[in-house]
Amino acid sequence: MTENSKTGASPFSFKPYQEKEGEEYMNSAQLKHFETILKNWKGELMHEVDRTVHHMQDDASNFPDPNDRASQESEFSLELRTRDRERRLIKKIDESLKEIESGDYGFCESCGIEIGIRRLEARPTASLCIDCKTLDEIREKQMG
């Protein structure tokens, strides 16, 4: 399950980038493509945050029945955890947008090689190439 499907928001309503032969990696067209994906994704997440706030304000009730109160608190707690994950994701999106501005987007922050167009389309906030990410996950698993 990807981070995108966990939060319910998706940047996947875009047409995949068609690379041209001999095209330079992370040229202006590619950067614009990813900037659009990231901004649209952030917009969707921000819309969900607003929806949650209104939902919690509108549905907040002081139920006399303890079971009803507990159900509502449980529902609100789950929604708040989801929004917290989305808040962290928005922070990652903002970091990726800053990398686009600085010209660092699309390159592994660990080894400096190209992350790859398809990997970035699958995970637009990726900051590690697949090899470094795999090593990172192995280390994480070994640390327990």
Side-chain angles (χ1 to χ4, degrees):
M1 180 179 276
T2 68
E3 187 169 313
N4 305 335
S5 58
K6 285 183 208 168
T7 62
S10 171
F12 302 115
S13 55
F14 65 88
K15 186 176 177 186
Y17 185 82
Q18 297 299 315
E19 295 177 71
K20 296 165 189 73
E21 194 173 323
E23 182 177 33
E24 182 182 345
Y25 181 72
M26 282 302 133
N27 61 41
S28 61
Q30 292 173 1
L31 290 172
K32 182 72 176 156
H33 173 73
F34 287 108
E35 182 178 30
T36 301
I37 290 171
L38 289 162
K39 284 182 176 178
N40 289 343
W41 193 11
K42 182 179 176 180
E44 289 177 29
L45 291 169
M46 296 301 289
H47 176 74
E48 285 299 310
V49 168
D50 291 342
R51 189 192 59 75
T52 297
V53 169
H54 293 302
H55 168 71
M56 291 180 83
Q57 288 172 340
D58 295 344
D59 289 358
S61 302
N62 192 5
F63 293 110
D65 180 43
N67 290 326
D68 290 340
R69 264 197 317 270
S71 292
Q72 183 184 46
E73 287 175 18
S74 178
E75 176 191 328
F76 283 178
S77 177
L78 179 62
E79 245 182 281
L80 289 172
R81 280 197 308 268
T82 300
R83 297 307 155 239
D84 186 52
R85 276 197 307 272
E86 288 176 346
R87 179 189 56 77
R88 284 180 274 156
L89 182 53
I90 288 169
K91 185 178 177 199
K92 282 182 162 183
I93 290 170
D94 286 339
E95 290 168 2
S96 294
L97 288 168
K98 284 179 186 165
E99 287 179 1
I100 287 174
E101 286 178 26
S102 70
D104 294 330
Y105 184 77
F107 296 92
C108 180
E109 67 181 23
S110 180
C111 70
I113 69 165
E114 299 174 358
I115 292 174
I117 300 291
R118 297 299 163 239
R119 174 161 164 70
L120 288 169
E121 284 181 335
R123 188 174 201 79
T125 58
S127 59
L128 296 173
C129 68
I130 196 70
D131 292 336
C132 289
K133 182 63 178 171
T134 301
L135 289 172
D136 196 43
E137 289 174 355
I138 291 169
R139 274 191 293 268
E140 197 174 292
K141 192 181 277 189
Q142 288 175 343
M143 300 300 251

